[in-house]
Amino acid sequence: MSQQDIHVIYGTDYARMTLEIMERTQVAKRLNPAMKIGIKPNLVVAKPASSGATTSPVVVEAVIRYLQQHGCNNIAIMEGSWVGDDTKTAFQVCGYQALAEQYHVSLYDLKTDAFIMKSVGNLQLKVCKKPLEVDFLINIPVLKAHCQTLLTCALKNMKGCIPDSEKRRFHQLGLHQPIGYLGSLLKPDLIIIDAIAGDLTFEEGGNPVQMDRIIAGTDPVLLDSYAASLLGYRPEEIEYIQIAEQMGAGTSRLEQATIYEYDSGQKNTSQFKPSDKARRLAKHIIAKEACSACYGSLIHGLQRCLERGLLNQLTSPVHIGQGFRGKDFSGLGVGHCCRGGSSSVPGCPPTAKDIVHFLESQLRHGS
Ligand code: SF4
């Protein structure tokens, strides 16, 4: 498979499609049985793939079966869920514990992994050791929307390969630059995108949109550019795609790509338009370096208030993020960082339930 190739297979038999795309792209030619193989799904939260948040275990199972059919048995699934969520619970809830037992593959919670300090551009980034140590890294992201970066797919999925402290720092650095830089440090050997039914409203699921396709390639910048175009974005609109390209992680020049499509008769021809719900709700937020888990839960909280007819009682925006740490301000705050607000919900991150409860009680009594 050349770096400029994008392979897309359509349909609803996701296990067969995954196996077929691996056959068609002749992955086996690049494998040998002695290889240590790492699989990096997206298990950002402990929610099943049907929510649109996490990689389908059906896809990962097909990848494991293909690898084992070709004599590769040294396989590990590795992930670190987002700050505030427990990876081991995600392994259980998302079906990966059962998968690991059935196929005798290892599961690594990267939150407990050691890290190596890597230099890239003007940054020093902490990267977990396990994904750096494998001989063949397979990135299996979900194609979905993200309320802070618009899109999350191949490049952003690598954020699960850094410690939690570094995930927080990524937000202090504005997300785009470190995600782009990480793309040049952790280069997958193969990317298989689960574009079955990602959430096109929020990163953390609840609004899955049926897209019914699996996409494969080796260049994360090119695949993310393709994924962006599927959602109606130009690659230039996703800042981290541009930064990753500048750092040599790949190319965003879709016009130079060769796109191979299989089973086009089964193509779901709907337009996949990301919802602008998150963007509309974001007007009620003042965010400075907010972590994804915190921010996503606040968006959900605001959505609940909207549904319950309370949002119009919110007279000033809600503060959130590490940029408010140690500062006093007038207004509502979310999380430990914003405890200097007139009123705030504790936690780092607070649970979505606590945020909903906090906002509801504030708005019912006038914010
Ligand atoms: S409270 Fe602050 S550090 Fe904790 S998750 Fe929220 S934004 Fe991040």
Side-chain angles (χ1 to χ4, degrees):
M1 181 169 21
S2 131
Q3 186 89 9
Q4 303 214 318
D5 293 348
I6 300 173
H7 296 260
V8 191
I9 188 163
Y10 303 101
T12 52
D13 184 349
Y14 310 121
R16 181 199 62 76
M17 289 155 60
T18 307
L19 277 170
E20 191 173 330
I21 212 163
M22 292 186 82
E23 295 285 2
R24 285 184 181 267
T25 54
Q26 301 184 316
V27 176
K29 283 192 173 171
R30 301 166 59 211
L31 301 171
N32 78 60
M35 278 178 164
K36 212 189 274 180
I37 298 177
I39 294 176
K40 166 66 179 77
N42 183 335
L43 304 178
V44 63
V45 288
K47 288 185 187 172
S50 56
S51 69
T54 53
T55 301
S56 167
V58 172
V59 173
V60 175
E61 179 177 9
V63 169
I64 294 170
R65 282 177 47 207
Y66 178 91
L67 296 171
Q68 293 186 342
Q69 278 162 14
H70 291 89
C72 297
N73 290 300
N74 191 353
I75 303 168
I77 298 172
M78 40 192 73
E79 171 64 311
S81 300
W82 71 6
V83 173
D85 235 296
D86 177 45
T87 316
K88 292 181 183 68
T89 308
F91 282 146
Q92 189 72 45
V93 170
C94 302
Y96 286 74
Q97 187 67 47
L99 209 53
E101 284 161 18
Q102 184 179 351
Y103 290 92
H104 306 288
V105 303
S106 312
L107 285 180
Y108 289 130
D109 174 0
L110 296 180
K111 284 182 190 254
T112 60
D113 195 18
F115 65 83
I116 294 176
M117 198 61 102
K118 292 274 189 183
S119 288
V120 51
N122 56 344
L123 289 181
Q124 295 269 309
L125 299 181
K126 290 177 190 166
V127 182
C128 292
K129 268 181 97 175
K130 289 265 181 333
L132 289 169
E133 286 170 352
V134 299
D135 302 307
F136 197 87
L137 182 61
I138 306 177
N139 180 8
I140 315 187
V142 182
L143 194 176
K144 53 184 179 163
H146 190 277
C147 35
Q148 291 162 298
T149 60
L150 300 179
L151 171 81
T152 167
C153 196
L155 286 163
K156 194 173 168 300
N157 194 36
M158 289 294 112
K159 190 163 162 265
C161 297
I162 57 173
D164 273 4
S165 58
E166 196 67 342
K167 289 185 190 121
R168 287 193 180 94
R169 195 170 76 100
F170 266 40
H171 288 273
Q172 290 170 355
L173 295 168
L175 265 186
H176 289 280
Q177 186 196 24
I179 291 170
Y181 280 26
L182 185 62
S184 68
L185 283 179
L186 254 185
K187 290 188 176 167
D189 298 283
L190 174 66
I191 301 158
I192 296 178
I193 301 173
D194 168 351
I196 297 171
D199 186 329
L200 299 191
T201 303
F202 304 119
E203 181 188 13
E204 67 267 43
N207 311 270
V209 173
Q210 215 61 40
M211 293 179 278
D212 295 326
R213 64 198 68 196
I214 306 277
I215 304 163
T218 56
D219 179 337
V221 180
L222 190 66
L223 289 190
D224 274 10
S225 301
Y226 180 75
S229 72
L230 271 183
L231 302 192
Y233 295 122
R234 285 174 289 111
E236 324 61 285
E237 289 179 83
I238 319 287
E239 201 183 327
Y240 67 74
I241 292 180
Q242 300 308 304
I243 296 171
E245 182 170 34
Q246 285 154 17
M247 298 306 290
T251 176
S252 66
R253 305 198 58 176
L254 276 175
E255 68 282 5
Q256 291 180 359
T258 307
I259 301 172
Y260 300 89
E261 295 183 282
Y262 312 108
D263 299 342
S264 298
Q266 298 191 55
K267 183 172 178 175
N268 176 341
T269 52
S270 315
Q271 291 288 314
F272 307 119
K273 215 174 156 336
S275 155
D276 67 349
K277 202 188 278 178
R279 211 173 40 228
R280 279 187 276 119
L281 292 169
K283 290 184 185 142
H284 299 280
I285 299 175
I286 298 179
K288 278 189 195 164
E289 304 159 22
C291 299
S292 302
C294 235
Y295 191 89
S297 296
L298 175 55
I299 290 276
H300 267 297
L302 291 170
Q303 174 64 19
R304 290 291 92 79
C305 292
L306 179 70
E307 286 159 9
R308 289 166 199 179
L310 291 168
L311 200 56
N312 54 5
Q313 323 253 355
L314 188 64
T315 50
S316 59
V318 183
H319 301 70
I320 187 167
Q322 300 170 76
F324 291 105
R325 213 178 260 163
K327 295 190 177 141
D328 291 329
F329 56 89
S330 118
L332 302 182
V334 166
H336 187 75
C337 295
C338 289
R339 61 184 167 175
S342 325
S343 181
S344 67
V345 55
C348 178
T351 63
K353 204 169 142 217
D354 285 349
I355 295 178
V356 171
H357 185 74
F358 168 75
L359 288 176
E360 282 190 348
S361 73
Q362 290 291 326
L363 297 184
R364 282 190 202 286
H365 300 108
S367 69

